[in-house]
Amino acid sequence: NYSSLKTARVLAMGMSQFEEQNPLPAVPTELSTIVKDLSFAKAQGTPLVGLWDGKSFLNEAFTLDNLRSQRQSYPYSIIHLATHAEFQPGKPESSYIQLWNEKLLLDRVRQLGWDDPPVELLVLSACRTAVGDTESELGFAGFAIQAGVKSVLASLWYVSDEGTLGLMSEFYYQLLQREVTIKSEALRQAQVAMIRGEVRLEDGHLVWHKGALPLPTELSSLPDRDLSHPYYWSGFTMVGSPW
């Protein structure tokens, strides 16, 4: 059955600091841009600019226990995870999504209880989360659909930190628009905006439909960049229901 997401709340969790992997400095900005969470904004020392009501958790608060308990305390329709991920062919336990103190293994997705009530939209803002093999079709996205999630936005290759910030910000903006009633249409509109150069890096800011968003310090020195190349926008795909 179709369910509108216009009034949905978002549970967003992410990692920007890692012991053995490259940092993802755009993730805190990604979370604060998507979710309107006053306590998170105060903790980050940033203004309240989020698009959707909900809660955000970063780094040490991004644990499996917290992920479970937050969804149990409130039936969030949208879950957004921004971190590193890796798919390895073969046994499901070889693939993972990186959390703060452990790895969420591919074969443990079904244990998260995301089917009761069903998660309407899971966004895996990470690398290769829709890559699979004959044993694990569509990887994490496929396992999430089997676990009861209605739709999953996931990636087919290693993605750009700043490019993903642009795509995700624009996707959630488009998903709120009155005339956009389909999740896959929101993704298409975000991708078209990037193709047209309406989402880009300019003077240390991310330029998108909401204006100019200051980039984090680690990315503010990046040269102006057009994000229209398919590398930045075409790797993400909607798996499961497009509605």
Side-chain angles (χ1 to χ4, degrees):
N1 294 326
Y2 173 78
S3 297
S4 173
L5 292 178
K6 301 301 183 188
T7 60
R9 290 170 58 84
V10 179
L11 173 61
M13 293 188 169
M15 289 274 292
S16 63
Q17 303 169 3
F18 303 85
E19 290 185 0
E20 299 177 355
Q21 294 163 296
N22 293 330
L24 297 174
V27 166
T29 303
E30 182 176 320
L31 301 189
S32 62
T33 302
I34 294 167
V35 180
K36 189 165 42 180
D37 184 342
L38 182 58
S39 60
F40 184 79
K42 286 183 176 179
Q44 296 298 309
T46 58
L48 186 64
V49 297
L51 296 166
W52 295 71
D53 290 331
K55 281 189 174 182
S56 294
F57 298 92
L58 183 67
N59 290 333
E60 62 271 10
F62 185 14
T63 65
L64 188 57
D65 287 343
N66 196 26
L67 180 59
R68 282 183 175 140
S69 64
Q70 291 297 328
R71 182 82 200 319
Q72 289 169 356
S73 65
Y74 184 86
Y76 291 95
S77 297
I78 302 175
I79 297 178
H80 182 97
L81 305 181
T83 180
H84 280 301
E86 184 60 73
F87 177 82
Q88 296 290 347
K91 295 181 179 180
E93 59 268 25
S94 301
S95 303
Y96 66 89
I97 294 174
Q98 184 66 53
L99 311 183
W100 175 252
N101 56 348
E102 61 184 309
K103 294 176 179 178
L104 173 59
L105 303 181
L106 182 62
D107 58 349
R108 296 183 65 186
V109 173
R110 293 175 180 170
Q111 303 171 15
L112 295 174
W114 286 349
D115 60 333
D116 186 24
V119 173
E120 285 288 327
L121 174 63
L122 171 64
V123 178
L124 297 175
S125 179
C127 297
R128 291 163 50 86
T129 47
V131 176
D133 59 13
T134 55
E135 302 298 322
S136 307
E137 187 175 357
L138 295 170
F140 278 99
F143 265 72
I145 294 297
Q146 292 178 17
V149 176
K150 192 169 182 179
S151 309
V152 183
L153 179 58
S155 64
L156 293 166
W157 54 66
Y158 293 103
V159 294
S160 154
D161 191 26
E162 61 275 12
T164 302
L165 169 63
L167 179 67
M168 292 300 169
S169 301
E170 187 68 20
F171 167 73
Y172 279 95
Y173 169 81
Q174 294 292 342
L175 198 59
L176 275 178
Q177 302 312 299
R178 181 178 300 178
E179 66 276 12
V180 178
T181 58
I182 302 172
K183 301 163 193 167
S184 58
E185 175 64 10
L187 174 61
R188 190 185 76 85
Q189 292 286 1
Q191 292 171 324
V192 168
M194 296 181 77
I195 292 170
R196 292 174 174 168
E198 296 167 357
V199 180
R200 60 189 184 277
L201 305 185
E202 190 174 284
D203 296 330
H205 291 73
L206 171 70
V207 177
W208 59 309
H209 269 102
K210 289 285 287 183
L213 178 72
L215 292 171
T217 304
E218 299 91 333
L219 300 177
S220 60
S221 60
L222 288 175
D224 291 356
R225 184 171 299 167
D226 184 345
L227 300 177
S228 64
H229 191 281
Y231 166 68
Y232 294 107
W233 56 263
S234 66
F236 281 94
T237 185
M238 193 72 68
V239 178
S241 169
W243 310 101

